Amino acid sequence: MMTTEQFYINGRWVAPLSSDVMDIVSPGNGAVCGRVALGSVADVDLAVAAAKRAFESWSQTAPAERRAVLERIVEIYARRSNDIADAMMLEMGAPKTLARGAQAGVGLGHLKDFVRAMDQIHWERPLFQGDTENHIVMEAKGVAALITPWNWPMNQVTLKVGAALAAGCTMVLKPSELSPLSAVVFAEILDEAGVPAGVFNLVQGTGPVVGERLAGHPDVAVISLTGSTRAGIAVTKTGADTIKRVGLELGGKGANIIFADTDVEAAATQTAQHMFRNSGQSCNAPSRMLVERSVYDRAVAAAAAVADQVKVGRPEAEDTQMGPVVSAAQHQRIQSLIRKGISEGAVIVAGGPDNPEGLNDGFYVKPTVFSGANNEMTIAREEIFGPVLTIIPFDDEAEAVAIANDSVYGLAAYIWTGDSERARRVSRKLRSGMVRLNGSDLPYGAPFGGFGQSGIGREGGVWGIEEYLEVKAISGWIAA
């Protein structure tokens, strides 16, 4: 059992003003594994007030001073990486190898990159008009409300907190109530690193209470949310009343285009492995595999073989490759969408509805592959957020691009081709914030974000820090 019944406000762990609590349910066995306190409007107000007080001094610190704080956070995070991983394994069912590898590791990677990115920001620079010197200053925007999801907890927490700290903003973090434990460990890390009181505050709670109050609070200047499109719309509407800057990283329905002039089996295999990683609970997952018709059957067979070989099991087992999905509600939704795919005429070539054998006491889903699909089917249009891969044929390049772009989302896209000119040409045509060519990955510091209903703004590196900065122009500057 792990409980998190205190909030971190103004540099101290404090008791909530509300008595509301929620059980934390382990996805691995469906049993209660802890309890989280749910914040109230009054708790949020205390945290925002602390952040507002701290902003006056923190926003005026030299970049080198903020950089030194980030460096201390990096050092302590590395030391406590296994504590973070263990929390994620319990709260969201991440397999042990994934939790200790990518899930914890990605947070450390982002924090290290923000240290580097700080040296690339032009905090102050001249702007000349003839002989007259003017001055451009980049300043912290204000108090930031940071609302993070459950699927990659430390990925999103570090992308937001690291950037806001680097920029000179103060903040209130509201993690998902489904993954509150890792955020507590992260708060302990910042406390040990000596982040000044009030700069970082943590309030647990639900979106309709804590999230809504943060979005509408008159003293919050920036909202950064990672979550569903529905949540993004609600936060944007609420924040509009006080003219807040809103950054959104929302859903995706990634198109993965495989042309016949590539190693088809390798492309389909890597795509399926990526799709089933983290139980398919990734907004940038390549959930739509578009395959040139002449090699379609080969790609289907390769993807099905991956699904059949994935070891689904308990999060704590060393050999588990794919664990459960995060909650009973998510499990039910995924099973419903798998059945919807069957009813609409798609063909299951691997997996299917119902739990894997022997795993009936948790929220487990079979790695599932659909063939015979088209882009009008529900499984091709809705973000399933589970281990479900939909494979669609195309006849030529123009049709592949048309299918890929026929989505309300535009977060991540993938292209496999042996023709470098085609790779460049198609990547420019895709309406997507990120495009990965031939199995490549984006480095730390690359801008993460999308087009359309996948969101607004970018996270990571220089682009992520700039989301928390305001531009000030000063005329008639008097040089020192």
Side-chain angles (χ1 to χ4, degrees):
M1 292 282 288
M2 292 181 67
T3 61
T4 169
E5 296 190 47
Q6 289 187 313
F7 303 150
Y8 187 76
I9 298 175
N10 201 32
R12 297 184 302 115
W13 291 99
V14 300
L17 299 177
S18 168
S19 60
D20 292 341
V21 295
M22 185 183 84
D23 288 337
I24 304 169
V25 176
S26 173
N29 56 20
V32 173
C33 63
R35 186 172 293 109
V36 59
L38 300 178
S40 64
V41 168
D43 291 304
V44 174
D45 289 348
L46 278 180
V48 173
K52 183 181 179 181
R53 289 192 301 271
F55 179 76
E56 183 176 351
S57 57
W58 181 249
S59 64
Q60 296 301 309
T61 56
E65 184 177 341
R66 301 195 296 272
R67 190 183 194 276
V69 171
L70 274 172
E71 288 174 334
R72 291 198 297 272
I73 293 170
V74 166
E75 179 185 348
I76 299 165
Y77 186 107
R79 173 161 44 85
R80 297 205 59 187
S81 180
N82 282 349
D83 296 334
I84 290 173
D86 290 347
M88 291 187 288
M89 186 168 63
L90 184 64
E91 69 191 359
M92 60 161 294
K96 187 174 184 179
T97 53
L98 179 68
R100 296 198 169 181
Q103 282 280 8
V106 72
L108 184 61
H110 288 311
L111 291 170
K112 287 181 176 179
D113 186 73
F114 282 129
V115 172
R116 293 190 293 267
M118 286 194 73
D119 295 335
Q120 301 171 35
I121 299 286
H122 297 289
W123 302 99
E124 296 191 17
R125 58 187 183 272
L127 177 64
F128 286 96
Q129 184 176 15
D131 294 332
T132 303
E133 181 179 349
N134 305 289
H135 211 62
I136 304 298
V137 180
M138 305 297 286
E139 294 186 357
K141 177 75 174 172
V143 176
L146 312 177
I147 303 173
T148 57
W150 47 260
N151 61 317
W152 284 88
M154 282 301 107
N155 181 67
Q156 296 306 132
V157 166
T158 55
L159 276 172
K160 297 182 193 303
V161 172
L165 281 171
C169 287
T170 57
M171 67 212 71
V172 180
L173 170 67
K174 189 210 88 67
S176 169
E177 63 272 26
L178 297 179
S179 58
L181 303 175
S182 54
V184 171
V185 179
F186 186 75
E188 293 171 352
I189 290 169
L190 267 62
D191 183 72
E192 185 179 345
V195 175
V199 170
F200 170 84
N201 303 274
L202 169 69
V203 177
Q204 308 275 11
T206 64
V209 178
V210 175
E212 184 171 345
R213 178 55 178 163
L214 283 170
H217 200 292
D219 291 330
V220 168
V222 184
I223 309 168
S224 180
L225 173 139
T226 299
S228 66
T229 300
R230 175 195 54 76
I233 292 169
V235 161
T236 301
K237 288 180 176 179
T238 303
D241 289 337
T242 44
I243 317 297
K244 301 186 190 306
R245 177 180 293 173
V246 178
L248 303 173
E249 197 275 286
L250 307 175
K253 194 67 181 175
N256 183 82
I257 304 174
I258 299 177
F259 289 99
D261 62 0
T262 191
D263 184 335
V264 174
E265 283 76 14
T269 296
Q270 186 168 326
T271 299
Q273 290 169 341
H274 187 172
M275 186 64 236
F276 301 137
R277 187 187 192 198
N278 203 41
S279 303
Q281 299 171 129
S282 299
C283 53
N284 62 348
S287 53
R288 288 184 298 157
M289 184 191 289
L290 315 183
V291 184
E292 196 163 353
R293 196 176 298 274
S294 62
V295 295
Y296 182 79
D297 290 343
R298 290 165 52 192
V300 169
V306 171
D308 288 338
Q309 294 165 9
V310 170
K311 170 63 175 176
V312 183
R314 307 292 180 184
E316 64 275 11
E318 295 285 352
D319 63 343
T320 293
Q321 296 172 309
M322 194 183 97
V325 296
V326 74
S327 67
Q330 185 68 6
H331 179 267
Q332 292 167 6
R333 181 176 184 275
I334 294 167
Q335 298 289 3
S336 174
L337 285 166
I338 290 173
R339 292 186 173 90
K340 184 74 169 178
I342 296 170
S343 70
E344 291 184 350
V347 178
I348 287 182
V349 294
D354 303 322
N355 284 34
E357 186 177 351
L359 294 170
N360 293 318
D361 58 346
F363 312 133
Y364 296 89
V365 178
K366 296 176 184 176
T368 298
V369 178
F370 279 102
S371 70
N374 63 65
N375 208 48
E376 300 307 311
M377 292 180 175
T378 303
I379 55 172
R381 305 204 72 79
E382 290 193 20
E383 185 181 36
I384 298 173
F385 226 62
V388 181
L389 176 62
T390 301
I391 310 182
I392 301 170
F394 66 85
D395 290 312
D396 55 31
E397 181 180 306
E399 186 182 17
V401 171
I403 294 172
N405 286 340
D406 182 18
S407 174
V408 297
Y409 299 112
L411 185 61
Y414 306 77
I415 302 170
W416 297 80
T417 178
D419 184 336
S420 57
E421 183 178 344
R422 168 185 273 167
R424 291 189 295 270
R425 182 174 63 245
V426 174
S427 65
R428 290 190 175 99
K429 292 179 180 178
L430 295 178
R431 298 289 297 167
S432 179
M434 299 171 284
V435 180
R436 302 185 190 184
L437 303 177
N438 295 321
S440 62
D441 202 355
L442 291 168
Y444 289 113
F448 191 102
F451 294 6
Q453 292 188 21
S454 286
I456 300 169
R458 295 294 182 267
E459 293 189 300
V462 171
W463 291 272
I465 296 172
E466 288 177 344
E467 292 285 320
Y468 298 89
L469 293 173
E470 202 63 278
V471 183
K472 178 185 287 183
I474 305 173
S475 64
W477 182 257
I478 302 171

